[in-house]
Amino acid sequence: MSIQAINVRNQFKGKVREIIRGDVVSEVDVETAWGIVTSVITTRSVDELQLKVGSDVVALVKSTEVSIAKL
């Protein structure tokens, strides 16, 4: 499968660093050149994508809102 076109502007190439599997959803940590990006996706998607530690992936980030909290 290859992606020919996508409208998501924020794309970060990286490698899967860790997968924390759950019954329904899993956390996938992706190590990029700019740091770690964590995604929560269905465990079914993890299996269908055959994700494993070390897999080459692209993290696609699309958000309509960014929240900021004062420290």
Side-chain angles (χ1 to χ4, degrees), residues 2-70:
S2 66
I3 299 172
Q4 295 182 9
I6 194 161
N7 71 345
V8 177
R9 299 282 183 234
N10 299 311
Q11 302 178 24
F12 305 97
K13 291 182 183 178
K15 289 191 181 285
V16 174
R17 177 178 157 176
E18 182 179 14
I19 299 173
I20 302 171
R21 293 180 63 91
D23 292 337
V24 178
V25 295
S26 296
E27 289 183 38
V28 180
D29 288 347
V30 177
E31 187 158 5
T32 73
W34 300 274
I36 302 294
V37 175
T38 301
S39 178
V40 176
I41 64 175
T42 63
T43 300
R44 181 178 181 176
S45 292
V46 170
D47 294 339
E48 288 178 359
L49 291 169
Q50 299 177 356
L51 295 179
K52 306 209 177 327
V53 172
S55 294
D56 290 318
V57 296
V58 177
L60 306 168
V61 180
K62 185 170 185 176
S63 176
T64 58
E65 179 180 328
V66 175
S67 299
I68 297 175
K70 186 177 179 183

